[in-house]
Amino acid sequence: MNPVSEECSAPAEHALPIDLRQFLTHEHHRIHLVGVAGSGMSGLAALLIELGHTVSGSDKASTMETDRLQRLGLRFYEQHRPELAVTADLIVFSSAIKRDNPVLVAGRDSGKPIVRRAEALAAIMRAKRGIVVAGMHGKTTTSAMTAHVLRESGLHPSHYVGAEIPILGINAHWDLRGEYFVAEGDESDGTLRYFHPEHSLILNIEEEHLDFYADLAAIEEIFEQLIEQTNGTVFYNIDDANAARLCATRKNAISFGFSDAADYRGAEVDLHAFSSDFCVYSRGQKLGEAVLNVPGPHNVHNALGVIALAVELGIPFEKIAASLRKFEHARRRFEIKYESERFLLVDDYAHHPTEIRATLKTARATGRKRVLAMFQPHRYSRTKALCTWFGHAFEDADRLVVTDVYPASEPPIPGISGQTIVDEVLKRGHRAATYQPCFERIHCDIGNALDVGDLVLSLGAGNIHEQLSILAADLVIAEKLRAIVGESGEVRLYEPLSKHTTLRVGGPAQFWVEPQSENAFAALIQFCRDETLPLFVMGRGSNLLVRDGGIRGVVVHPCGGDFDKIEVNGSEITAGAGVKLREVAYAARAANLDGLEWMEGIPGVVGGALRMNAGAMGAQTFENVARIRYLDSEGNPHVKNRDELEVFYRRFPLLENNFAISATFGAQPGERAKIDNRLRESQEKRRTTQPVAKSAGCIFKNPDGIPAGKLVDELGLKNSRVGNARVSEVHGNFIVNDGGATATEMLELIDRIKQAAKTKRGIELETEVQIVGEPGS
Ligand code: EPU
């Protein structure tokens, strides 16, 4: 073995002044665990509490696991304080703990016995008949399956596995009644060498943890030692070349797998979406059929190992098969987070290329149309060492989004990030892999790409499952919204609002909804009220600056159906909230109606024009409004005539809490030639005085005394910029997006202009453009 990490080779071990097995399993002491929140350490803490010790633990942060342990009796400290060593009779530390940890330093100085996690575990195991499950992949599932089968057979095993296992109730348990102790052996830090089990189950051996091991030979050395130290039987996967090479020639070895040469052979395997059926043969004789309710061929392999072991322990095959049928997955092992006919969301712990391939194959086998994967690389060292393998691992993902690396206590390695993996994947010809450095955005990237029939998979050993949980919770709401708007409407998750604003900036809308009818809109209003979801209405987005963090809640975009209707009735034109103002101007022209030509120059829709009493060419919307139809904040419809409405320059308070459905504009019969002239005049004015660029129209309201554009011009701020946001050289009241500008840049430029107007001219500029949404992270 060749340790290459200083951190993992940790404190010097010294000859213990105690008999550790006696100390841990026959006496009661005060034991302190350094790094107690880790998945392995928390299991050990549970065992020690059950063994009757007074257990304390320290970690840099509390977790759900430490909360649970506190309820069992753990004294938890959120700081590694030296005095914690002083009161302890024994200190146990995790491999993630550095040599200079204050508790370890104090413990060493005061001559306290200090042991590693695995050393303590191995000593506890020596009090029972130990069974160690080891291998690079599948050991949590397999050790849980072993403990489950032994438990169902009435053997009362104690167990220790590295994750929460709902079917076992808890990740570690000491059972006084039973003889066996089933433990997941961790190969990552060389501590497998502490175990002297009665039996071991070797699943697979390959390159992994290359932060600790120099190469495969160093890994094999540690497995060989475990095999040497196994005094009963070594059960090994014959289909894994490395495991087979190490074990095949040993007298005490029993093989399992699909190979004809396997002592326990699986055959006639039938893989289903979430289960598998297979036949089991023992040395040529059929034992019977098994059904496994966890998916994937790799789990059939794992089950064959458990069957071999259990049969050799004397458990009848029928009993084993009955227990396997009941087995449920560990948390984060192909764990279904959301399931419907339309979508399937699954979380998996896979973080090694071999595991990723296997999990993606299982995902593929569910028969869903597409597999969308979000992957969080785990550890810089693994990302670097295995990056070429990662390049081949995602062939079964139709779309892949990679986050940055989850460090797991490692310092960054320059040049290594999620992009490293994306580069490798793209090199292998994958077409749809992207890097998303902002962790909180990853669910948005995947969620926005979601289509009916998709399976979404979160992959990684860090905290990527949190992003899938957010997506799952939002999908529940999105599906309710879809039921409200029906087939003709549209619901999208995390729609980038930069696609829907004329300025082309803005983060995502949590829920983007396009209702097509007034009834659907009313039902949406009621739903948002009941669910206390914010609701924001967005028209053409022509007078809107959405911040980079997007808009939380439901963004309603009334378009199509009722909202696109336009009707001419005598000298009145009634237009839905989604109709472009320009269309109203041309409908009036077609009907030879006069007075609405100015609308030609407004890029927005009727709803937006009402909301802000938009104007151009000296006219404003409400000068032409006869009446409006709107929904109140409870979704009830109302119609109000112009004289009942309070309206101001660029402000219409009623629609601040109510929602426009349509407006009826009054016009008067006119001559086509005169109408055409005025339309041309408006076009000409726009063409000559306003920029042809991505903008939100005028940014500021005109203050008293001077048009804002003229003021900005006089301040000499034309063409000034922040990033890609720039004051137009054509008109000082327009800020244009030169391409890829952010809301943050826009807002900073707006601020600079306001500052200049205030300090140089004493004028308080007020924005006309509506600024909404959350700041970007
Ligand atoms: N001016 C300058 N320099 C400039 C811009 C303007 O000296 O860079 C001068 C113009 O020469 C003119 C005066 O300022 O003498 C007013 O300019 P303009 O005629 O362009 O009108 P505005 O008040 O800037 C308003 C609306 C526009 C609408 C136009 C045309 C406001 C805040 N803006 O602009 O509406 O298109 O009239 O009718 O009321 C909008 O609301 O988004 C919008 C674009």
Side-chain angles (χ1 to χ4, degrees), residues 543 601-602 612 615-618 649-650 685 689-690 696-698 700-702 707 709-710 713 718 730-734 768:
N543 187 48
I602 303 274
M612 63 166 296
M617 307 293 288
Y649 167 67
R650 296 293 183 266
K685 164 112 186 175
T689 64
Q690 296 180 2
C698 285
F700 300 104
K701 292 180 183 171
N702 282 338
K710 192 163 195 282
D713 197 350
K718 277 185 163 176
V730 182
H731 194 299
N733 202 3
F734 281 67
E768 172 186 291

Tab-separated table of all heavy atoms in Angstrom, residues 543 601-602 612 615-618 649-650 685 689-690 696-698 700-702 707 709-710 713 718 730-734 768, ligand 1:
chain	number	residue	atom	x	y	z
A	543	ASN	N	-41.341	46.294	-21.164
A	543	ASN	CA	-41.048	47.407	-20.260
A	543	ASN	C	-40.557	46.855	-18.928
A	543	ASN	O	-40.843	47.373	-17.869
A	543	ASN	CB	-42.339	48.226	-20.055
A	543	ASN	CG	-42.092	49.485	-19.279
A	543	ASN	OD1	-41.158	50.232	-19.592
A	543	ASN	ND2	-42.881	49.718	-18.242
A	601	GLY	N	-46.321	52.529	-32.380
A	601	GLY	CA	-44.949	52.681	-31.912
A	601	GLY	C	-44.656	51.999	-30.578
A	601	GLY	O	-43.561	52.111	-30.042
A	602	ILE	N	-45.628	51.285	-30.040
A	602	ILE	CA	-45.418	50.662	-28.719
A	602	ILE	C	-45.172	49.163	-28.905
A	602	ILE	O	-45.991	48.475	-29.513
A	602	ILE	CB	-46.669	50.862	-27.819
A	602	ILE	CG1	-46.985	52.358	-27.674
A	602	ILE	CG2	-46.498	50.178	-26.469
A	602	ILE	CD1	-46.251	53.083	-26.588
A	612	MET	N	-49.360	50.079	-17.259
A	612	MET	CA	-48.491	51.240	-17.009
A	612	MET	C	-48.971	52.498	-17.723
A	612	MET	O	-48.263	53.494	-17.764
A	612	MET	CB	-47.053	50.925	-17.423
A	612	MET	CG	-46.912	50.637	-18.902
A	612	MET	SD	-45.221	50.653	-19.460
A	612	MET	CE	-44.747	52.316	-19.187
A	615	GLY	N	-47.484	55.151	-23.353
A	615	GLY	CA	-47.789	56.237	-24.273
A	615	GLY	C	-46.720	56.442	-25.312
A	615	GLY	O	-45.612	55.936	-25.194
A	616	ALA	N	-47.079	57.201	-26.354
A	616	ALA	CA	-46.129	57.601	-27.397
A	616	ALA	C	-46.777	58.722	-28.190
A	616	ALA	O	-48.006	58.889	-28.139
A	616	ALA	CB	-45.807	56.425	-28.314
A	617	MET	N	-45.982	59.460	-28.897
A	617	MET	CA	-46.462	60.555	-29.744
A	617	MET	C	-47.409	61.502	-28.994
A	617	MET	O	-48.415	61.957	-29.513
A	617	MET	CB	-47.210	59.975	-30.975
A	617	MET	CG	-46.426	58.950	-31.753
A	617	MET	SD	-44.978	59.629	-32.580
A	617	MET	CE	-45.728	60.575	-33.897
A	618	GLY	N	-47.094	61.679	-27.718
A	618	GLY	CA	-47.899	62.608	-26.928
A	618	GLY	C	-49.215	62.036	-26.443
A	618	GLY	O	-49.952	62.689	-25.712
A	649	TYR	N	-49.892	59.462	-14.994
A	649	TYR	CA	-48.834	59.355	-16.009
A	649	TYR	C	-48.038	58.086	-15.732
A	649	TYR	O	-47.458	57.917	-14.653
A	649	TYR	CB	-47.925	60.597	-15.952
A	649	TYR	CG	-46.624	60.466	-16.738
A	649	TYR	CD1	-46.623	60.367	-18.134
A	649	TYR	CD2	-45.394	60.450	-16.086
A	649	TYR	CE1	-45.440	60.246	-18.844
A	649	TYR	CE2	-44.200	60.334	-16.774
A	649	TYR	CZ	-44.237	60.220	-18.163
A	649	TYR	OH	-43.062	60.095	-18.862
A	650	ARG	N	-48.038	57.157	-16.657
A	650	ARG	CA	-47.320	55.886	-16.583
A	650	ARG	C	-47.666	55.063	-15.328
A	650	ARG	O	-46.827	54.316	-14.831
A	650	ARG	CB	-45.799	56.116	-16.606
A	650	ARG	CG	-45.278	56.729	-17.879
A	650	ARG	CD	-45.419	55.792	-19.068
A	650	ARG	NE	-44.848	56.390	-20.251
A	650	ARG	CZ	-45.531	57.096	-21.155
A	650	ARG	NH1	-46.838	57.295	-20.995
A	650	ARG	NH2	-44.928	57.578	-22.205
A	685	LYS	N	-40.841	58.583	-36.744
A	685	LYS	CA	-40.323	59.109	-35.474
A	685	LYS	C	-39.529	58.020	-34.769
A	685	LYS	O	-38.432	58.227	-34.271
A	685	LYS	CB	-41.506	59.580	-34.601
A	685	LYS	CG	-41.149	59.775	-33.147
A	685	LYS	CD	-41.196	61.210	-32.721
A	685	LYS	CE	-40.693	61.339	-31.304
A	685	LYS	NZ	-40.556	62.602	-30.764
A	689	THR	N	-35.589	58.369	-34.162
A	689	THR	CA	-35.165	58.800	-32.818
A	689	THR	C	-34.875	57.658	-31.858
A	689	THR	O	-34.363	57.882	-30.771
A	689	THR	CB	-36.228	59.706	-32.157
A	689	THR	OG1	-37.417	58.927	-31.969
A	689	THR	CG2	-36.537	60.933	-32.976
A	690	GLN	N	-35.227	56.429	-32.238
A	690	GLN	CA	-35.035	55.337	-31.280
A	690	GLN	C	-34.133	54.250	-31.857
A	690	GLN	O	-34.141	53.999	-33.059
A	690	GLN	CB	-36.394	54.749	-30.877
A	690	GLN	CG	-37.246	55.776	-30.140
A	690	GLN	CD	-38.598	55.232	-29.726
A	690	GLN	OE1	-38.912	54.069	-29.941
A	690	GLN	NE2	-39.417	56.097	-29.135
A	696	ALA	N	-35.594	48.033	-23.420
A	696	ALA	CA	-36.896	47.977	-22.752
A	696	ALA	C	-37.637	49.293	-22.990
A	696	ALA	O	-38.383	49.762	-22.130
A	696	ALA	CB	-36.709	47.725	-21.269
A	697	GLY	N	-37.411	49.922	-24.133
A	697	GLY	CA	-38.004	51.231	-24.389
A	697	GLY	C	-37.346	52.244	-23.467
A	697	GLY	O	-36.193	52.078	-23.050
A	698	CYS	N	-38.099	53.273	-23.124
A	698	CYS	CA	-37.515	54.290	-22.248
A	698	CYS	C	-37.346	53.735	-20.846
A	698	CYS	O	-38.249	53.101	-20.306
A	698	CYS	CB	-38.412	55.529	-22.219
A	698	CYS	SG	-38.263	56.486	-23.725
A	700	PHE	N	-36.428	55.658	-18.050
A	700	PHE	CA	-36.892	56.580	-17.003
A	700	PHE	C	-38.174	57.284	-17.422
A	700	PHE	O	-38.415	57.523	-18.618
A	700	PHE	CB	-35.821	57.646	-16.725
A	700	PHE	CG	-34.510	57.056	-16.260
A	700	PHE	CD1	-33.416	56.963	-17.119
A	700	PHE	CD2	-34.371	56.575	-14.962
A	700	PHE	CE1	-32.215	56.418	-16.698
A	700	PHE	CE2	-33.163	56.025	-14.533
A	700	PHE	CZ	-32.082	55.946	-15.396
A	701	LYS	N	-38.965	57.638	-16.414
A	701	LYS	CA	-40.100	58.526	-16.677
A	701	LYS	C	-39.533	59.895	-16.979
A	701	LYS	O	-38.461	60.242	-16.443
A	701	LYS	CB	-40.983	58.620	-15.433
A	701	LYS	CG	-41.712	57.331	-15.107
A	701	LYS	CD	-42.563	57.515	-13.859
A	701	LYS	CE	-43.235	56.213	-13.489
A	701	LYS	NZ	-43.893	56.253	-12.183
A	702	ASN	N	-40.219	60.652	-17.788
A	702	ASN	CA	-39.747	62.013	-18.033
A	702	ASN	C	-39.984	62.867	-16.794
A	702	ASN	O	-41.121	62.980	-16.323
A	702	ASN	CB	-40.491	62.630	-19.225
A	702	ASN	CG	-39.960	62.114	-20.552
A	702	ASN	OD1	-38.814	61.641	-20.629
A	702	ASN	ND2	-40.778	62.186	-21.596
A	707	PRO	N	-37.186	66.167	-20.874
A	707	PRO	CA	-37.296	64.727	-21.157
A	707	PRO	C	-36.033	64.008	-20.672
A	707	PRO	O	-34.917	64.546	-20.792
A	707	PRO	CB	-37.400	64.669	-22.676
A	707	PRO	CG	-37.774	66.040	-23.119
A	707	PRO	CD	-37.187	66.982	-22.105
A	709	GLY	N	-34.440	61.531	-21.805
A	709	GLY	CA	-33.438	61.247	-22.849
A	709	GLY	C	-32.543	62.444	-23.094
A	709	GLY	O	-31.322	62.314	-23.242
A	710	LYS	N	-33.139	63.614	-23.092
A	710	LYS	CA	-32.388	64.849	-23.326
A	710	LYS	C	-31.416	65.076	-22.170
A	710	LYS	O	-30.247	65.452	-22.365
A	710	LYS	CB	-33.380	66.015	-23.436
A	710	LYS	CG	-32.828	67.314	-23.939
A	710	LYS	CD	-33.995	68.198	-24.378
A	710	LYS	CE	-33.564	69.362	-25.216
A	710	LYS	NZ	-33.003	70.450	-24.484
A	713	ASP	N	-28.511	62.779	-22.329
A	713	ASP	CA	-27.698	63.295	-23.434
A	713	ASP	C	-26.827	64.455	-22.945
A	713	ASP	O	-25.600	64.460	-23.100
A	713	ASP	CB	-28.667	63.750	-24.544
A	713	ASP	CG	-27.988	63.917	-25.881
A	713	ASP	OD1	-26.738	63.858	-25.912
A	713	ASP	OD2	-28.709	64.109	-26.883
A	718	LYS	N	-24.297	59.264	-23.024
A	718	LYS	CA	-24.585	58.366	-24.144
A	718	LYS	C	-23.370	57.493	-24.410
A	718	LYS	O	-22.220	57.954	-24.292
A	718	LYS	CB	-24.920	59.179	-25.388
A	718	LYS	CG	-26.371	59.611	-25.401
A	718	LYS	CD	-26.681	60.290	-26.698
A	718	LYS	CE	-28.159	60.368	-26.950
A	718	LYS	NZ	-28.445	61.119	-28.173
A	730	VAL	N	-28.309	56.649	-29.872
A	730	VAL	CA	-29.411	57.263	-30.635
A	730	VAL	C	-30.339	58.046	-29.696
A	730	VAL	O	-30.750	59.158	-30.011
A	730	VAL	CB	-30.224	56.153	-31.366
A	730	VAL	CG1	-31.341	56.771	-32.202
A	730	VAL	CG2	-29.322	55.288	-32.209
A	731	HIS	N	-30.650	57.466	-28.535
A	731	HIS	CA	-31.600	58.089	-27.613
A	731	HIS	C	-31.116	57.847	-26.182
A	731	HIS	O	-30.930	56.700	-25.775
A	731	HIS	CB	-32.995	57.472	-27.828
A	731	HIS	CG	-34.108	58.233	-27.188
A	731	HIS	ND1	-34.183	58.433	-25.824
A	731	HIS	CD2	-35.203	58.857	-27.723
A	731	HIS	CE1	-35.271	59.126	-25.540
A	731	HIS	NE2	-35.909	59.409	-26.689
A	732	GLY	N	-30.957	58.904	-25.431
A	732	GLY	CA	-30.370	58.805	-24.090
A	732	GLY	C	-31.224	58.084	-23.067
A	732	GLY	O	-30.741	57.696	-22.006
A	733	ASN	N	-32.525	57.914	-23.372
A	733	ASN	CA	-33.379	57.234	-22.404
A	733	ASN	C	-33.509	55.734	-22.715
A	733	ASN	O	-34.345	55.055	-22.162
A	733	ASN	CB	-34.765	57.893	-22.360
A	733	ASN	CG	-35.498	57.603	-21.052
A	733	ASN	OD1	-34.940	56.955	-20.158
A	733	ASN	ND2	-36.736	58.060	-20.947
A	734	PHE	N	-32.687	55.226	-23.602
A	734	PHE	CA	-32.694	53.795	-23.918
A	734	PHE	C	-31.368	53.181	-23.467
A	734	PHE	O	-30.298	53.705	-23.773
A	734	PHE	CB	-32.819	53.565	-25.434
A	734	PHE	CG	-34.216	53.720	-25.964
A	734	PHE	CD1	-34.854	54.958	-25.970
A	734	PHE	CD2	-34.893	52.625	-26.482
A	734	PHE	CE1	-36.139	55.104	-26.474
A	734	PHE	CE2	-36.176	52.761	-26.996
A	734	PHE	CZ	-36.809	53.995	-26.991
A	768	GLU	N	-39.101	54.127	-15.343
A	768	GLU	CA	-40.398	53.810	-15.928
A	768	GLU	C	-40.496	52.298	-16.129
A	768	GLU	O	-41.539	51.688	-15.954
A	768	GLU	CB	-40.512	54.502	-17.293
A	768	GLU	CG	-41.740	54.071	-18.040
A	768	GLU	CD	-41.796	54.626	-19.451
A	768	GLU	OE1	-41.969	55.841	-19.587
A	768	GLU	OE2	-41.684	53.837	-20.399
B	1	EPU	N1	-33.750	64.114	-26.867
B	1	EPU	C1	-32.430	64.475	-26.858
B	1	EPU	N2	-31.499	63.514	-26.761
B	1	EPU	C2	-31.824	62.224	-26.681
B	1	EPU	C3	-33.164	61.838	-26.661
B	1	EPU	C4	-34.124	62.834	-26.769
B	1	EPU	O1	-32.082	65.651	-26.946
B	1	EPU	O2	-30.909	61.377	-26.592
B	1	EPU	C5	-34.757	65.165	-27.009
B	1	EPU	C6	-35.543	65.020	-28.323
B	1	EPU	O3	-34.872	65.641	-29.376
B	1	EPU	C7	-36.852	65.625	-27.972
B	1	EPU	C8	-37.031	65.343	-26.492
B	1	EPU	O4	-35.758	64.998	-26.002
B	1	EPU	O5	-36.798	67.006	-28.168
B	1	EPU	C9	-38.039	64.190	-26.239
B	1	EPU	O6	-37.594	63.004	-26.906
B	1	EPU	P1	-38.619	62.035	-27.654
B	1	EPU	O7	-39.418	62.862	-28.642
B	1	EPU	O8	-37.846	60.913	-28.196
B	1	EPU	O9	-39.628	61.612	-26.574
B	1	EPU	P2	-39.396	60.976	-25.166
B	1	EPU	O10	-40.113	61.793	-24.180
B	1	EPU	O11	-37.981	60.656	-24.915
B	1	EPU	C10	-41.596	59.563	-25.297
B	1	EPU	C11	-41.956	58.274	-24.670
B	1	EPU	C12	-41.564	57.121	-25.603
B	1	EPU	C13	-42.223	57.307	-26.962
B	1	EPU	C14	-41.747	58.646	-27.503
B	1	EPU	C15	-42.289	58.924	-28.894
B	1	EPU	C16	-41.613	58.620	-22.264
B	1	EPU	C17	-40.731	58.360	-21.087
B	1	EPU	N3	-41.192	58.149	-23.447
B	1	EPU	O12	-40.179	59.592	-25.368
B	1	EPU	O13	-42.075	55.969	-25.050
B	1	EPU	O14	-41.887	56.254	-27.858
B	1	EPU	O15	-42.162	59.645	-26.581
B	1	EPU	O16	-43.577	59.289	-28.865
B	1	EPU	O17	-42.653	59.202	-22.118
B	1	EPU	C18	-41.526	54.209	-23.667
B	1	EPU	O18	-42.384	54.646	-22.913
B	1	EPU	O19	-40.891	53.158	-23.439
B	1	EPU	C19	-41.238	54.941	-24.871
B	1	EPU	C20	-40.262	54.609	-25.707
